[in-house]
């Protein structure tokens, strides 16, 4: 049997990243995954057992990224998923720690990982990078200036890298979801789960599995096909601000 393809998924301890771990593993891929919460990585490893490797990593820490990634075999696919939103208020009330955490993770973390792995993937015969962007990279909405800026940056990085990598054997794609019910809103609202739950009141959001299925689809197109950018919305959502809710009828 041919060797399985190898994927590295960042931010694999929750939500979309963890759903990607399951989806790729179930499709026979060798899965390498990371995140900061070691206990959750260990649970994934003991549950899946084979073709799963994990290591704790904070993608904001450039030196740690280079050290950790120098110790793993180059993947055929990199899924840059680690990310977060922190805070939801007008810019003039924004918290500097929140901004730093979002920009350092969503933008610089993605750059750190990609910068280190791309030359190794190219030397290894090529592959694919799939960035998890967001509808917030297509539209800017009130109370989300820093998060939207970070996801517009992800869109810019995806588009620039696609042009840089054209002809190198590396495909560059993004999957850009709308509302997905994960730990995302709890993180955004600093642990206020009631407020987080209200994000999805009266509407049906995407699940992490919906997004993972799309990431897997993007990763399994023929070599000559690149789904460059997919905006994946729940049917109840038409734009960042237009969400149909049963209660509002
Ligand atoms: P979750 O909060 O459920 O998961 C976020 C993941 O990112 C966790 O595994 C977390 O792991 C990891 N992470 C956060 N900071 C770091 C860091 N510094 N270093 C390494 N890993 C980190 O949210 P989602 O699954 O929803 O979010 C995943 C991605 O999807 C993000 O990029 C988000 O912006 C994007 N997205 C989410 C949407 C949504 O509505 N949920 C919609 C559009 C895009 P740990 O804490 O263990 O480090
Ligand atoms: C996460 C989705 O609408 O909160 O990127 O920006 S949204």
């Amino acid at each position: 049997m041919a060797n399985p393809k190898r994927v590295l998924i960042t931010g694999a301890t929750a939500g979309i990243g963890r759903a990607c771990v399951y989806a790729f593993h179930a499709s026979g891929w060798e899965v390498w995954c990371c995140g900061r919460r070691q206990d959750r990585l260990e649970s994934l490893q003991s549950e899946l057992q084979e073709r799963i490797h994990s290591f704790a990593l904070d993608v904001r820490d450039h030196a740690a990224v280079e050290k950790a990634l120098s110790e793993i075999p180059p993947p055929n696919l990199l899924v840059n998923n680690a990310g977060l939103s922190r805070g939801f208020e007008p810019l003039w009330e924004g918290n500097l720690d929140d901004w730093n955490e979002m920009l350092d993770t969503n933008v610089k973390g993605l750059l750190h990982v990609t910068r280190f792995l791309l030359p190794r993937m190219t030397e290894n015969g090529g592959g694919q990078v799939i960035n998890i962007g967001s509808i917030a990279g297509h539209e800017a909405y009130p109370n989300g200036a820093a998060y939207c800026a970070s996801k517009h940056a992800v869109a810019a990085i995806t588009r620039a890298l696609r042009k840089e990598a054209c002809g190198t054997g590396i495909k560059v794609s993004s999957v850009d979801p709308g509302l997905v019910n994960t730990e995302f809103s709890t993180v955004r609202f600093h642990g206020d789960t009631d407020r987080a739950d209200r994000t999805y009141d009266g509407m049906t959001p995407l699940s992490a599995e919906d997004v993972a299925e799309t990431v897997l689809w993007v990763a399994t197109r023929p070599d000559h096909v690149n789904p460059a950018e997919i905006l994946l919305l729940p049917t109840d959502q038409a734009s960042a601000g237009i969400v149909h809710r049963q209660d509002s009828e």
Side-chain angles (χ1 to χ4, degrees), residues 134-136 141 147 177-179 184 188 237:
S134 170
I135 190 170
Y141 51 80
Y147 180 69
L179 292 164
F184 178 87
R188 165 172 270 174
Q237 182 176 26

Side-chain angles (χ1 to χ4, degrees), residues 10-18 34-38 40-41 57-61 80-85 101 104-106 132-136 147 150-151 175-185 187 200 208 211:
T10 67
T13 57
I16 294 167
R18 185 168 53 197
C34 55
R36 290 167 301 175
R37 285 169 286 184
Q38 177 86 44
R40 293 195 180 196
L41 295 170
L57 182 64
D58 184 333
V59 295
R60 292 173 297 179
D61 183 341
N80 276 315
N81 165 76
L84 79 164
S85 175
E101 189 177 8
D104 287 350
T105 308
N106 301 358
I132 306 301
S134 170
I135 190 170
Y147 180 69
S150 78
K151 288 298 183 178
V175 174
D176 305 338
L179 292 164
V180 191
N181 194 353
T182 62
E183 295 173 16
F184 178 87
S185 293
V187 171
Y200 314 108
V211 182

Side-chain angles (χ1 to χ4, degrees), residues 28-40:
W29 288 60
E30 180 184 312
V31 177
W32 289 71
C33 61
C34 55
R36 290 167 301 175
R37 285 169 286 184
Q38 177 86 44
D39 55 330
R40 293 195 180 196

Side-chain angles (χ1 to χ4, degrees), residues 111-132:
L111 288 169
H112 293 158
V113 173
T114 310
R115 179 181 188 273
F116 187 83
L117 282 180
L118 261 199
R120 287 154 184 83
M121 291 168 70
T122 308
E123 277 168 25
N124 194 41
Q128 185 169 21
V129 177
I130 303 178
N131 292 331
I132 306 301

